[in-house]
Structures are given as structure tokens and as C-alpha cells.
Amino acid sequence: MFRRGGSEPWTLFFDGQPVPARDGDSVASALLAAGVRVTRQTQLSGAPRGPWCMMGACFDCVAIVDGRRGVRTCMTQAREGLRVVTQRD
Amino acid sequence: MSPSETDVVIVGAGPAGLAAAIETARRGLRTLLLDENPAPGGRVWQALQSRGAGDPDDTAGLALIRAFAASGAEARYGASVWGIEAGTVFWTQDGASHTARARRVLLATGTTERPVPIPGWTLPGVMTVGAAQIALKTGGLVPDGNTWIAGQGPLTVFYAVQAVRAGGRIAGILDLSAPAARWRAVRHLPGAISDIRKGLGWLRELRRAGVPIVRATDPRAEGDRAISRISFRVHGRPRTEPADLLLLHDGVIPSIQITRALGCAHVWDAWQRCWRPETDAWGETTVPGAIVAGDGAGVGGAAAAVLSGRIAALGCAHALGAIDAATRDREAAPSLAARARALASRPFLDTLFAPRPVDPDDATLICRCEEVTAGQVRDAVRLGCQGLNQLKAFTRCGMGPCQGRMCGPSAADVLAAARGVDGRTIEPYRTRFPARPLTVGELAGLER
């Protein structure tokens, strides 16, 4: 797992739970820092998936962000109050 | 929306794109630089302005970023390019579509990591080494607990060093390189002395930090909803270790999504076992007006990419009439000589870490998006499938949202082995724009 030190002054929400974040965070890195590894389930088998490449190429870290489906959490800057929900297809 | 007009659009604000933009702007060409990330630097200098320089390479990066800011070139960040057609570049920024018409398009889109399809590689908690490095650079995340690294190439060791320096803990590194590659690489040693010295320093640092490096084969990630352990073989003997994070890496390959969709000719790079766009000395592809610079034209590292960007920009400035041929050649000469020096260590590195064709068991997923296994690819070949583009119709392999970025190279390896032909005979996926999934809103926005 990952961890980090320093302050995480603001908060986004993942499946309703508060996740601390800081400037420079993508949604995916804030989630990983909080120990969240699953952001979606696959359409075919329902297998859990989470961030793999962190550079926008693999589309495995997509989630529902502020109501929009299929958003790459690694390419989305974390913002105060952002609402992220696990994408279940 | 009426398109804006410019001379050169550069895609990618990494080493090559920044250097190219500085040079074209300096030659009086209107230059627009687009990058998907929130700040310049590309992968190697990602978030460099906010985290500060940590070594001499970073310092050079910061200087380049500052020179770019003062160059007069325009930059758009958070700009995700998804199409190029007849001199018009299409991108999305803040959820809205934008276009610009350009006389030349210079692609500096770099690389992606080669996929490493081992059993369990889709389990949450299994990521690439490059992904963990991005998390470190942008968010200060360090690995803790039972973190393993597996694969080959300088980045496996370099990331471990960066992680340890930042206070992280690595349980161990599984070296999956071919033992015989060491002997083959020996004859290329002379060109790589300084890189070897750097590498030996990293290995000493890891030894002091107590990070074991184990020569291993047959790695597997195992677990239920996420990874909980890894298994592998050491000298043929099976071993299992607890793991909550596994980082995989087998080098990087040029991103050819855009050049394939443009219809550029590509050549097989036998050293690095990958496809790259065919270019002339100035980075011009076989499609008029489309130029490629940096690692996207063939992997050489950041220092070589800066020089490639500068060289391609000079070629572009000449093609657009901003400088004459004599000026182009005179100004490019020092960069060409410096690039040759920067590439001197490649034969050693490319031989030592020569990628091997992947040959996963039937149950291992090849296509992460459509959940297609190696066995399904082999079944398709038995039914008569000859190539990757047919494989889409047979299995949906390569038809998910990543558009073949994650499965292309390994699907080609499995297909080639099943057919009994060489990997270079398998044409890569024919890609089409848009280069990533779009919303209806993004498309409709173009009409305004």
C-alpha cells in the first residue's frame, strides 16, 4: 500500500466517505493515499479494478465523478467536495 | 466554434515538446503547446515546479521549463488531444472541445510502459512502476508495507531508490531479466560507462537500505478482491510472499496511437521490440506536415529527447520558411552531435534489458478492457485469425476504452507465437480518431 506524510487540508468524497487530499493530487492519488484501490467493476465479469497506469492510458481507474461516468480519476484534479462513486456497469 | 490559426501545434509538454516549442518560438513561428497534464514536464519532470529539483537532471528540466515560459509560445494544460485531420487539431479542455489550424503538427507524446501480462495483473493493488512514480512525484505517495517490484529495466531500480529516499519501504525486487542478456550486453559496455556507474550507485543504495533483489521467474499476483500475495520461482523453486502492492515494469514503448491514426508508416524496432513511426533526419513522418520528436519516435531517454525536439523544430522552421537550410544545418549540428553521445549507452541498456515476447498461460488476461484471455487469442488463431485487426472481430480484444494501448504488444506476441511467425510480421492495431472516448457533449460543442 501507499502512505504519505504532511498535511491533507481538504476533502473529497468516495462512495460517501471523506477522503483527505492536497494540492497537486489527482483523484486517483488521493484515493490511493487513503488506501482505496478499487474504483470500478468490469462490465463483463464484475471484477474489481483500480488505478494501473496513472497516466490516462489504461482507463482502469475510471469512476463516476460529480455524476459523470467513465471519468479517468488519474487525469482528474482533486477538488474540495468532489463526489466520486464506484462505477458499476 | 471557429478554429484559431497558428504555425505549429506541439502535442506533449515533456522534454521534446518543451525544447521544440522554445526553438520554433525563437524562430518567430506562432507556437501552441498542448498537454493533458496540469503542468509542463512530461513524465520525467512531472510536477517538477511544485516539488523542486532533486538532482542535476531535474535542474536541467527546471531550466527548460523556465526557458519555455519565457519563449513566447502559448501553452494549454489539461488539454487532451483526440483528433488531427487536414491540419486541424482537436482537443478537450475543461469538458469543452477546441480546435486549432496549424501548418505543422509536432507530436511529442512520448511513451507508455510495455504491458506485463502476468497472472493476476488486473487485481487492484497491481500497478506499473511508472504509475507509482507518478504518485510519488505528484502526490508524495511512498510505498509501505509489503510492496514488491517485478520486471526489468533501469526504472525498477531507480524508482526503488527514489521511494527509499522519500522514506518508503520496498519488500523486494524480482529481477525478471534473462540471465544470458548480461553476457550479450558486455560488448556494448564502453558506450555506457557513466550509466553503469549511476546504476551501480543505485544498487549500493538499495543494498544499504536492505532491499533484496532476487532473480526470479513465473511471477503471479494472487488475491480475492485485491492482491494479497505474490508467488514466483527462484532457481525453479516456488516461493510465496505476502504483498499488498505489486509494481510491474518491462521498459517503455513509443505511443503510436496518434501516428497510426494519421496513417504514418511505422517501422519495427528490433532492439526494443516495438513499433515506431518512420521519420527522416528532422523527425518528419511519411504524412506531410506531421512531425514526431522525442521518445515517441524511438526510446532514447530525456536528454536525447530534448535534443530531438530542438532538431525537429529546426527542420520545421526551415520547412515553413523561417530559416534557410544553411542556418538549419549549422544550428542543428551541435544538437546532432550531443544526441549521438546521449544515445551511446542505448545498445548496452537495450541488450541487457531486452524485452522477451510474452507467453502467458491460457487463463491470463491480455485485454484488460474486454477481458480477453491469452487462450481466447490462441483459439481465434485456430479458427483462422491472422492478425491484430482481425482479432478485434474474433474476440473484441483491443476494442475497449483504452483502444488497444494495454493489449496491443502482448496480443501481437501471443498471436505471432500461435501462428509460428515473427512478431514483426504482425501489423499493429489500426487506430482511428477520436484517440479516446468522447462524450456527446464534447462532440456537439464543436458545432458552436
Side-chain angles (χ1 to χ4, degrees):
Chain A
M1 305 281 261
F2 291 105
R3 64 168 174 79
R4 67 176 166 191
S7 68
E8 296 171 313
W10 37 276
T11 305
L12 56 87
F13 295 90
F14 179 71
D15 287 344
Q17 299 298 310
V19 170
R22 65 161 83 150
D23 282 348
D25 271 348
S26 63
V27 171
S29 52
L31 293 178
L32 288 171
V36 174
R37 295 188 287 184
V38 180
T39 60
R40 73 170 184 116
Q41 290 180 354
T42 62
Q43 263 170 329
L44 276 90
S45 72
R49 292 284 176 85
W52 159 259
C53 79
M54 292 292 276
M55 56 175 280
C58 76
F59 288 77
D60 251 333
C61 71
V62 299
I64 301 169
V65 178
D66 275 351
R68 283 169 50 225
R69 296 171 52 83
V71 176
R72 294 173 293 173
T73 56
C74 71
M75 299 306 290
T76 305
Q77 290 300 290
R79 291 190 305 274
E80 175 70 41
L82 204 66
R83 294 192 177 272
V84 184
V85 176
T86 302
Q87 182 165 319
R88 295 183 171 86
D89 287 291
Chain B
M1 174 185 294
S2 66
S4 61
E5 300 272 338
T6 192
D7 291 316
V8 188
V9 166
I10 297 175
V11 185
L18 289 170
I22 292 166
E23 197 64 42
T24 52
R26 189 171 152 219
R27 305 291 161 180
L29 297 171
R30 292 168 302 167
T31 301
L32 172 63
L33 178 65
L34 304 173
D35 191 286
E36 197 169 19
N37 294 283
R43 290 280 89 79
V44 62
W45 297 320
Q46 189 154 19
L48 187 54
Q49 288 164 297
S50 50
R51 64 189 159 90
D55 61 34
D57 292 341
D58 283 352
T59 307
L62 267 185
L64 196 73
I65 290 169
R66 290 199 186 105
F68 170 73
S71 70
E74 188 188 342
R76 303 270 189 97
Y77 301 108
S80 176
V81 171
W82 50 261
I84 300 169
E85 196 175 284
T88 300
V89 180
F90 300 79
W91 73 92
T92 296
Q93 199 174 358
D94 296 327
S97 296
H98 302 266
T99 63
R101 286 196 57 75
R103 297 161 72 199
R104 288 287 186 282
V105 179
L106 193 152
L107 300 164
T109 49
T111 60
T112 51
E113 289 175 271
R114 186 189 301 277
V116 188
I118 64 165
W121 70 308
T122 53
L123 282 171
V126 184
M127 302 171 67
T128 69
V129 172
Q133 196 185 38
I134 291 168
L136 175 62
K137 287 176 178 177
T138 61
L141 273 68
V142 295
D144 200 17
N146 294 314
T147 296
W148 286 82
I149 294 172
Q152 61 170 344
L155 191 66
T156 56
V157 174
F158 184 47
Y159 168 73
V161 167
Q162 290 178 315
V164 166
R165 284 179 192 167
R169 286 192 303 157
I170 306 278
I173 300 176
L174 303 183
D175 176 358
L176 304 179
S177 63
R182 290 188 173 186
W183 301 109
R184 285 196 292 272
V186 165
R187 69 193 174 92
H188 301 295
L189 251 165
I193 298 299
S194 72
D195 279 23
I196 291 169
R197 195 172 294 144
K198 209 188 256 182
L200 291 175
W202 293 340
L203 293 175
R204 270 197 303 277
E205 206 169 328
L206 291 182
R207 204 157 40 237
R208 278 198 302 273
V211 178
I213 301 178
V214 184
R215 276 194 170 272
T217 59
D218 307 303
R220 308 175 70 92
E222 295 164 356
D224 183 21
R225 301 275 303 166
I227 185 172
S228 57
R229 63 191 173 274
I230 57 166
S231 67
F232 49 94
R233 289 176 180 275
V234 180
H235 301 300
R237 290 171 52 187
R239 202 172 132 185
T240 300
E241 295 284 343
D244 50 31
L245 181 62
L246 171 62
L247 306 173
L248 299 171
H249 182 75
D250 187 10
V252 296
I253 54 177
S255 301
I256 56 171
Q257 217 71 17
I258 291 180
T259 48
R260 289 285 295 162
L262 278 172
C264 302
H266 288 69
V267 293
W268 175 255
D269 186 326
W271 283 88
Q272 300 182 343
R273 282 191 59 78
C274 61
W275 293 90
R276 57 180 164 81
E278 186 182 331
T279 56
D280 71 7
W282 305 99
E284 293 264 7
T285 68
T286 56
V287 169
I291 304 162
V292 181
D295 276 0
V299 176
V306 167
L307 298 159
S308 294
R310 200 169 287 153
I311 293 161
L314 286 165
C316 175
H318 170 251
L320 293 177
I323 54 175
D324 59 25
T327 306
R328 175 195 66 185
D329 295 348
R330 188 180 61 246
E331 302 271 315
S335 293
L336 285 163
R339 185 173 61 178
R341 287 193 296 276
L343 293 175
S345 64
R346 290 315 305 190
F348 176 78
L349 293 173
D350 291 344
T351 308
L352 184 60
F353 303 119
R356 288 178 285 178
V358 301
D359 186 24
D361 60 32
D362 275 348
T364 301
L365 285 181
I366 293 292
C367 174
R368 299 173 67 95
C369 298
E370 298 291 328
E371 305 189 85
V372 179
T373 63
Q376 286 171 281
V377 175
R378 292 176 183 126
D379 285 344
V381 171
R382 278 190 282 273
L383 291 170
C385 176
Q386 299 277 304
L388 284 183
N389 297 297
Q390 273 186 326
L391 187 64
K392 292 183 186 178
F394 273 90
T395 64
R396 289 198 57 80
C397 191
M399 294 185 76
C402 96
Q403 300 179 324
R405 289 169 171 88
M406 293 300 117
C407 64
S410 20
D413 280 347
V414 172
L415 209 146
R419 282 189 52 207
V421 298
D422 194 276
R424 75 188 63 202
T425 66
I426 306 292
E427 186 199 350
Y429 285 128
R430 276 192 292 275
T431 55
R432 288 185 182 81
F433 295 127
R436 63 170 185 79
L438 293 180
T439 63
V440 173
E442 286 169 86
L443 276 175
L446 285 172
E447 294 301 318
R448 287 198 297 277

